């Protein structure tokens, strides 16, 4: 190659890098032809990358590929297929492959992974199976790179049975083989299978293996295995990698091991937005809303800008604590930062405003959402229910049905809550029957039965509540029994309490409230023998009456004070302390 051609080559390479449309490339193509640079090893990859990004005319692509002698090298065809597979046109890669294959191109071990990558991009399971048969027919099966690609793509496409069959047929497996199948199981929700396969591994796991299996441990709450992996991973060079730290935090949070997650977080040399998201979101899920807001302050102080996912968690924490002003600040921040209000943010805003008692704003956000999913409807209907707007909640249920959405278990729980808080007994019965009907065919959970029992007990229908409990496929919990006992006390139904005493002997309840309610019911009717029997049961089971407590927020800090029985000698002192604090708060304000 002379100096002029050499100089032209570098100029053309620069033009190819800047080319963004077919019209411009045709001019470059003419120069490539006249200078005999079409097949140059530096030019071909650049052109393939350009075609993958900007050339959608596959007829022109196929004609361009005719310039190469495929019998000498598969390099050009493989590059063009990879170019399309790596960009926004995975289907184009499949079409180009089919055309060259029909015209005599023989795929090799480098062609197959490129085509498989395209199949993975659009979950093309039928194309994957066709290519698998070509692999076997052309004798490419023996290559481990091809085998691993098949395992990986079958897993991505959700066909874990085929992935497992390919894996089992492999005479030799490396860490990529094991990781491909394990990650496929995790993606498909087969967490037990993923852990079982991991325990069978006969090679050292890599970073991707550890991250996948930590996800499975979190989903199954396998804390002991997760801790074992934590101890294992620190021995490997990648143990300090950011992605490993994030996976460990996520696992610990899903296992509700908050202290362990915090320790991992504090020991991380660097943190990204995912690290903060795992901690803040995990604290909210583990019912530590105050701590999650403290963590949010720390994140802001570190200079990291929150995204929509974190703000959704912060809104949930604000809803749990009833911090309306804080929730409003988050709402304003979202608007000022022009963060897109997707389903998650919109639903969190509706939930926050409703739980803080600001139904008008909840309605404003709800009605302003261009589209809503079932969680959005559930948040709004549930918000109306807890604010005593039962009839409006039922009306929104009708609109939900008219919108074409299908209600789920949470929707009916919100409806039963609305009926319970608004005394809508007939409507509650009707919706309970509708839930069981073929139209919805939803099996009631313990929470649904609890709402219905509470509805009947509030109306004094203790007998109907008891009949419903007898039909339950699971034993009643303390909330259900507590509702029954409260109703018995209110309506002086002492006869039922004998049945309750027997049920307490059969179930291992550790909640002192049930025993105290029943004991007070007996005492009010001067049944001292039953009172003594209950007290003996409590002592035998080691159950003590928990003292009540009050929480007062002073300057943003929560202070908890125990408040015992009114007859306790220290109760008056505690009241004096509380009154003093209230007076101090009034003075500060």
């Amino acid at each position: 190659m002379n100096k002029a051609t050499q100089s032209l080559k570098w100029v053309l390479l620069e033009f190819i890098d800047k080319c963004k449309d077919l019209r411009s490339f045709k001019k470059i193509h003419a120069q490539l032809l006249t200078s005999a640079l079409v097949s140059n090893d530096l030019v071909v990859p650049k052109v393939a990358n350009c075609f993958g990004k900007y050339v959608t005319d596959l007829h022109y692509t196929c004609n361009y590929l005719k310039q190469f002698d495929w019998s000498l090298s598969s390099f050009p065809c493989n590059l063009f297929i990879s170019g399309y597979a790596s960009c926004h046109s995975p289907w184009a890669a499949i079409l180009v492959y089919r055309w060259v294959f029909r015209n005599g191109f023989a795929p090799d071990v480098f062609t197959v992974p490129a085509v498989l990558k395209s199949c993975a991009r659009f979950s093309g399971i039928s194309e994957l199976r066709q290519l698998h048969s070509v692999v076997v027919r052309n004798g490419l099966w023996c290559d481990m790179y091809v085998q691993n690609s098949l395992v990986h793509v079958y897993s991505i496409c959700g066909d874990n049975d085929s992935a497992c069959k390919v894996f089992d047929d492999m005479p030799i497996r490396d860490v990529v083989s094991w990781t491909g199948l394990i990650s496929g199981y995790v993606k498909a929700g087969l967490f037990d299978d993923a852990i079982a396969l991991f325990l069978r591994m006969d090679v050292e796991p890599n970073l991707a293996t550890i991250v996948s299996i930590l996800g499975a441990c979190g989903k199954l709450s396998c804390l002991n295995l997760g801790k074992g992996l934590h101890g294992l991973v620190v021995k490997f060079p990648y143990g300090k990698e950011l992605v490993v730290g994030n996976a460990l935090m996520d696992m610990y949070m899903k296992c509700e091991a908050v202290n362990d997650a915090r320790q991992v977080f504090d020991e991380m040399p660097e943190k990204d937005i995912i690290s903060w998201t795992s901690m803040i979101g995990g604290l909210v899920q583990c019912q530590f809303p105050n701590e999650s807001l403290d963590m949010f302050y720390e994140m802001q102080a570190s200079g990291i800008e929150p995204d929509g996912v974190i703000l959704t968690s912060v809104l949930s924490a604000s809803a749990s604590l009833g911090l309306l002003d804080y929730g409003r600040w988050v709402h304003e921040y979202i608007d000022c930062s022009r963060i897109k209000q997707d389903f998650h943010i919109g639903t969190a805003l509706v939930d926050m405003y409703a739980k803080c008692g600001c139904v008008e704003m909840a309605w404003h956000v709800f009605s302003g959402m261009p589209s809503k999913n079932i969680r959005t409807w559930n948040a709004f209907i549930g918000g109306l229910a807890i604010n005593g707007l039962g009839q409006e909640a039922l009306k929104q249920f009708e609109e939900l049905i008219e919108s074409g959405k299908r209600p789920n278990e949470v929707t009916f729980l919100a409806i039963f809550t609305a009926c319970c808080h608004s005394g809508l007994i007939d409507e509650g019965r009707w919706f309970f029957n509708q839930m069981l009907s073929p139209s919805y065919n939803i099996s009631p959970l313990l929470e649904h039965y609890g709402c219905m029992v509470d509805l009947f007990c509030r109306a004094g229908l203790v007998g109907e509540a008891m009949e419903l409990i007898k039909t339950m496929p699971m034993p009643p919990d303390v909330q259900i029994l507590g509702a029954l006992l409260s109703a018995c006390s209110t309506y002086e139904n002492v006869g039922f309490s004998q049945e309750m005493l027997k049920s307490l002997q059969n179930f291992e309840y550790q909640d002192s409230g049930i025993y105290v309610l029943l004991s007070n019911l007996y005492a009010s009717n001067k049944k001292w023998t039953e009172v003594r029997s209950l007290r003996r049961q409590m002592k035998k089971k080691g159950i003590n009456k928990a003292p009540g407590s009050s929480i007062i927020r002073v300057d943003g800090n929560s202070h908890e004070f125990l408040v015992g029985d009114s007859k306790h000698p220290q109760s008056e002192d505690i009241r004096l302390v509380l009154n003093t604090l209230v007076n101090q708060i009034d003075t500060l304000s």
Side-chain angles (χ1 to χ4, degrees):
M1 185 183 298
N2 57 41
K3 287 186 177 181
T5 306
Q6 185 78 5
S7 300
L8 179 61
K9 179 183 72 173
W10 295 112
V11 171
L12 290 175
L13 286 173
E14 186 177 351
F15 282 153
I16 295 170
D17 276 335
K18 295 179 179 178
C19 179
K20 293 186 178 180
D21 58 76
L22 181 58
R23 181 179 178 183
S24 300
F25 181 78
K26 286 181 177 180
K27 298 175 183 178
I28 300 172
H29 189 186
Q31 291 294 326
L32 291 173
L33 288 172
T34 56
S35 59
L37 290 172
V38 170
S39 302
N40 183 270
D41 289 344
L42 293 177
V43 171
V44 174
K46 294 280 188 182
V47 173
N49 184 54
C50 176
F51 273 50
K53 289 181 178 178
Y54 305 115
V55 178
T56 57
D57 186 348
L58 297 185
H59 180 71
Y60 184 85
T61 303
C62 295
N63 284 332
Y64 190 89
L65 286 171
K66 288 180 181 179
Q67 301 170 106
F68 303 101
D69 188 348
W70 302 338
S71 62
L72 294 177
S73 174
S74 63
F75 180 67
C77 288
N78 290 341
L79 278 177
F80 274 76
I81 293 170
S82 297
Y84 280 113
S86 300
C87 297
H88 306 296
S89 307
W91 251 111
I94 299 292
L95 295 175
V96 170
Y97 163 75
R98 286 177 175 173
W99 183 86
V100 296
F101 184 73
R102 283 197 304 266
N103 286 273
F105 173 71
D108 57 17
V109 294
F110 301 104
T111 314
V112 174
V115 182
L116 286 173
K117 184 177 181 179
S118 299
C119 296
R121 291 281 301 280
F122 64 91
S123 299
I125 191 66
S126 60
E127 291 77 14
L128 170 58
R129 288 170 179 156
Q130 291 173 17
L131 186 61
H132 191 174
S133 65
V134 172
V135 165
V136 175
R137 190 167 58 248
N138 287 24
L140 304 175
W141 164 251
C142 297
D143 185 81
M144 182 176 285
Y145 188 37
V146 172
Q147 294 168 347
N148 286 340
S149 296
L150 284 168
V151 170
H152 176 67
V153 179
Y154 269 125
S155 298
I156 288 177
C157 294
D159 189 352
N160 289 290
D161 292 335
S162 296
C164 187
K165 187 176 185 307
V166 173
F167 179 84
D168 290 338
D169 290 341
M170 293 175 65
I172 301 174
R173 309 180 188 100
D174 61 5
V175 66
V176 179
S177 317
W178 291 92
T179 303
L181 190 55
I182 288 172
S183 62
Y185 281 149
V186 172
K187 182 183 177 183
L190 304 172
F191 306 116
D192 287 312
D193 293 333
I195 291 175
L197 186 63
F198 173 76
L199 296 175
R200 285 173 45 203
M201 278 186 72
D202 54 7
V203 296
E204 184 178 294
N206 62 12
L207 180 101
T209 319
I210 294 295
V211 171
S212 294
I213 208 65
L214 283 172
C217 291
K219 291 292 186 180
L220 294 177
S221 297
C222 293
L223 181 59
N224 290 334
L225 179 57
K227 285 186 173 181
L229 286 169
H230 190 178
L232 176 68
V233 78
V234 295
K235 300 177 182 179
F236 296 128
Y238 53 77
K240 294 293 183 181
E241 291 280 344
L242 180 61
V243 65
V244 174
N246 288 340
L248 282 168
M249 270 194 304
D250 182 67
M251 180 274 297
Y252 279 128
M253 278 300 185
K254 285 186 170 63
C255 295
E256 299 186 1
V258 176
N259 292 333
D260 292 315
R262 181 66 202 233
Q263 183 177 350
V264 172
F265 181 82
D266 291 338
E267 292 175 353
M268 290 173 66
E270 60 174 324
K271 304 172 182 70
D272 62 0
I273 189 70
I274 298 175
S275 314
W276 292 98
T277 301
S278 296
M279 280 302 299
I280 295 172
L283 287 168
V284 173
Q285 293 296 321
C286 294
Q287 307 300 317
F288 291 99
N290 272 316
E291 290 77 1
S292 70
L293 294 182
D294 292 339
M295 184 68 68
F296 182 61
Y297 294 142
E298 287 184 39
M299 188 199 75
Q300 289 180 300
S302 71
I304 294 181
E305 292 292 325
D307 60 6
V309 179
I310 288 182
L311 293 174
T312 299
S313 297
V314 173
L315 285 169
S316 297
S318 303
S320 298
L321 296 170
L323 301 178
L324 178 60
D325 291 339
Y326 203 100
R328 280 177 172 156
W329 176 85
V330 175
H331 193 176
E332 291 174 5
Y333 182 91
I334 291 170
D335 290 339
C336 294
S337 302
R338 301 196 177 188
I339 296 174
K340 182 181 179 182
Q341 289 196 28
D342 56 10
F343 288 130
H344 303 290
I345 293 179
T347 302
L349 283 169
V350 170
D351 183 61
M352 182 275 297
Y353 280 122
K355 286 181 178 176
C356 291
C358 194
V359 181
E360 295 81 4
M361 276 303 299
W363 166 251
H364 176 74
V365 175
F366 179 80
S367 59
M369 294 177 66
S371 57
K372 311 171 184 72
N373 60 12
I374 188 62
R375 291 186 178 183
T376 313
W377 284 96
N378 290 345
F380 188 55
I381 294 174
L384 293 171
I386 63 176
N387 283 283
L389 302 174
Q391 292 291 354
E392 183 61 31
L394 301 189
K395 181 181 176 182
Q396 290 300 318
F397 182 87
E398 294 176 3
E399 294 190 15
L400 162 67
I401 300 300
E402 292 174 2
S403 72
K405 298 287 190 302
R406 182 177 176 83
N408 58 16
E409 294 89 345
V410 180
T411 317
F412 279 100
L413 185 61
I415 288 297
F416 295 150
T417 303
C419 294
C420 185
H421 285 209
S422 301
L424 305 175
I425 301 167
D426 293 334
E427 290 84 348
R429 287 196 195 99
W430 187 84
F431 276 106
F432 191 78
N433 292 329
Q434 283 294 304
M435 182 180 180
L436 298 167
S437 69
S439 301
Y440 303 111
N441 195 27
I442 298 175
S443 299
L445 302 175
L446 184 63
E447 292 81 4
H448 299 104
Y449 284 109
C451 277
M452 290 302 296
V453 168
D454 194 26
L455 172 64
F456 292 143
C457 287
R458 286 170 185 258
L461 303 174
V462 180
E464 190 169 352
M466 191 62 196
E467 289 302 316
L468 180 61
I469 291 176
K470 290 178 180 178
T471 66
M472 289 171 55
M474 72 286 286
D477 63 357
V478 293
Q479 281 78 21
I480 291 177
L481 293 179
L484 276 171
L485 279 171
S486 296
C488 290
S489 178
T490 302
Y491 298 100
E492 299 182 352
N493 189 339
V494 187
F496 164 71
S497 59
Q498 294 293 339
E499 298 181 38
M500 181 64 72
L501 180 59
K502 294 178 182 177
S503 68
L504 286 173
Q505 293 170 345
N506 295 331
F507 298 115
E508 293 298 322
Y509 295 115
Q510 296 299 317
D511 188 281
S512 62
I514 295 293
Y515 294 91
V516 172
L517 274 172
L518 187 53
S519 176
N520 291 342
L521 179 60
Y522 283 140
S524 64
N525 288 274
K526 296 182 171 44
K527 293 183 175 291
W528 306 115
T529 304
E530 287 81 357
V531 171
R532 285 192 294 272
S533 175
L534 269 178
R535 296 294 180 182
R536 281 195 297 269
Q537 282 193 44
M538 291 179 67
K539 186 176 181 180
K540 182 179 178 181
K541 295 182 179 181
I543 300 172
N544 296 313
K545 180 183 176 183
S549 62
S550 295
I551 296 178
I552 297 179
R553 293 182 66 87
V554 180
D555 293 336
N557 297 314
S558 295
H559 301 276
E560 185 172 11
F561 299 90
L562 297 180
V563 182
D565 189 276
S566 60
K567 297 179 181 179
H568 195 279
Q570 294 181 349
S571 296
E572 190 62 32
D573 294 337
I574 294 172
R575 289 193 188 92
L576 288 173
V577 172
L578 292 176
N579 289 334
T580 302
L581 276 172
V582 171
N583 291 333
Q584 290 177 355
I585 294 170
D586 291 338
T587 303
L588 290 172
S589 60

